[in-house]
Amino acid sequence: MDNDNTYIRFDWAMKHMLRDKSNFDILEGFISVLLGEDVHIVEILESESNQDSDSDKFNRVDIKAKNSKGHLIIVEVQLTRQLHYLQRILYGTCKAITEHISMGDKYDQVKKVYSISILYCDYGQGDDYVYHGETRFKGIHTGRDLLVNVKEDGVIVQHLPREVFPEYYLVRVNAYDKLPESPLDEWMTYLKTGKVKDDTRTPGLQEVKKKLQYLSMTQKERRAYDAHMDTIMVQNDVLDTAREEGRAEGIAEGRAVERLDVARKLVAMGLPDETVIAATGISSQEIAALRSGRDARQ
């Protein structure tokens, strides 16, 4: 590892550092560059990423924040490929919406949600490294967008549905393989390599240089961070070896076992069946077997 210009990886920082208000500017910078607008985080909200083990929470880490406009922003790092991933992020946005509206509230209290997935795994096929998805209501004959009347502060205004519905960003880190030409490219370089240009002016990355230096860690923090990176390297090596040897069937079986192990933990935590199904993709019959203490793989 080149420590002269190497900074703490983003997923580690999200779990251990970026929840601190003094470090909001790093996350604000990344989100602002990605969304193309200034984003100011008001608070970090309760999220699922609250455990220290690399195997917990399905090899992912996430932050849920609220910005100055009242929008909810979910930023998630996914380290391994997961079956039914699109369904899971859809579930995550729906859950965020329902969690932040109280029974009896009017529908104008529904919050706009941005879901941002930073993928350190080969997910999907495409010729770009960042994909954006949004909901549009488009005329099947004219091709033009529908404008919807909405009441705001006593005044009727028009909105496009995509201004209300959730938006999704898939950031495919492994697919980025170019020299940086834009602020977003500079962020991609950091996400993939841990490197930041000495003369960067990109929002958030200036703060990364000041606050996420590997050499500024305590010895204990470095040991934990190095162990985290070793785990990722071993995991990636195992997956690469399996691909090279063409052991697709073995990988599928291993993933099935891993999903059952995760489901077993969720059941033990007392989560309802629908949550376990959404998170792992296993069947209701397998969950019933887990709850009864039988081996769901039999």
Side-chain angles (χ1 to χ4, degrees):
M1 183 181 290
D2 179 7
N3 293 333
D4 293 336
N5 186 24
T6 299
Y7 300 91
I8 300 166
R9 216 170 89 146
F10 196 63
D11 61 312
W12 178 269
M14 279 180 58
K15 178 174 282 192
H16 298 278
M17 305 172 74
L18 299 190
R19 300 167 195 278
D20 189 308
K21 192 168 185 177
S22 63
N23 294 326
F24 281 5
D25 46 7
I26 295 174
L27 195 60
E28 288 173 346
F30 169 68
I31 298 171
S32 296
V33 168
L34 183 64
L35 271 56
E37 61 176 279
D38 287 336
V39 172
H40 300 286
I41 294 175
V42 175
E43 60 179 321
I44 300 296
L45 304 167
E46 181 65 27
S47 69
E48 297 179 357
S49 184
N50 58 0
Q51 301 201 21
D52 293 325
S53 171
D54 287 317
S55 61
D56 285 332
K57 300 305 178 186
F58 330 119
N59 266 323
R60 78 176 192 267
V61 57
D62 64 350
I63 284 181
K64 183 168 64 176
K66 181 164 68 175
N67 70 6
S68 56
K69 296 180 181 178
H71 299 160
L72 305 177
I73 302 175
I74 302 170
V75 183
E76 174 183 302
V77 175
Q78 181 75 29
L79 299 177
T80 59
R81 193 174 185 276
Q82 185 181 21
L83 196 65
H84 307 310
Y85 186 72
L86 291 180
Q87 291 91 330
R88 199 182 65 66
I89 61 175
L90 172 62
Y91 172 80
T93 58
C94 295
K95 184 179 178 183
I97 291 170
T98 57
E99 284 178 344
H100 293 276
I101 184 170
S102 301
M103 185 174 295
D105 280 349
K106 295 181 179 179
Y107 288 122
D108 60 1
Q109 297 301 306
V110 169
K111 303 298 183 184
K112 168 83 173 183
V113 178
Y114 294 91
S115 172
I116 301 171
S117 298
I118 303 172
L119 304 170
Y120 282 92
C121 50
D122 295 329
Y123 186 83
Q125 296 180 0
D127 57 4
D128 208 330
Y129 47 92
V130 178
Y131 285 85
H132 175 220
E134 60 186 8
T135 299
R136 295 180 62 188
F137 287 79
K138 189 170 65 173
I140 63 173
H141 301 103
T142 66
R144 290 191 290 272
D145 285 312
L146 174 71
L147 286 169
V148 181
N149 290 333
V150 178
K151 189 174 183 180
E152 289 185 355
D153 300 324
V155 178
I156 300 297
V157 297
Q158 289 188 321
H159 276 301
L160 291 166
R162 65 172 179 262
E163 297 177 73
V164 178
F165 281 78
E167 293 186 37
Y168 301 87
Y169 289 84
L170 301 180
V171 181
R172 301 167 70 234
V173 177
N174 293 345
Y176 178 75
D177 60 356
K178 54 182 283 191
L179 294 175
E181 300 174 355
S182 67
L184 180 56
D185 287 349
E186 285 194 42
W187 261 102
M188 294 299 301
T189 298
Y190 164 60
L191 292 174
K192 186 168 186 177
T193 69
K195 302 287 186 178
V196 180
K197 288 172 55 177
D198 290 335
D199 59 349
T200 186
R201 295 292 182 268
T202 295
L205 290 181
Q206 298 176 66
E207 290 72 23
V208 166
K209 292 185 64 176
K210 297 174 185 175
K211 301 176 179 181
L212 300 187
Q213 294 180 7
Y214 176 82
L215 292 177
S216 68
M217 287 175 139
T218 66
Q219 191 173 17
K220 181 179 179 181
E221 289 170 336
R222 282 192 212 171
R223 283 198 300 268
Y225 179 74
D226 289 343
H228 170 76
M229 295 302 296
D230 288 343
T231 299
I232 291 172
M233 290 177 65
V234 169
Q235 174 180 270
N236 290 340
D237 185 59
V238 168
L239 291 174
D240 288 342
T241 301
R243 290 192 195 98
E244 291 171 5
E245 295 178 355
R247 293 189 290 151
E249 184 176 344
I251 294 176
E253 183 178 351
R255 286 175 179 160
V257 171
E258 181 181 355
R259 288 198 299 274
L260 281 172
D261 288 340
V262 170
R264 187 175 290 106
K265 293 178 182 178
L266 297 180
V267 168
M269 292 166 61
L271 296 182
D273 288 6
E274 58 268 27
T275 302
V276 179
I277 291 171
T280 65
I282 72 171
S283 68
S284 56
Q285 290 80 6
E286 289 172 309
I287 293 178
L290 292 175
R291 292 195 184 281
S292 66
R294 301 195 309 272
D295 189 346
R297 284 167 283 185
Q298 294 179 351

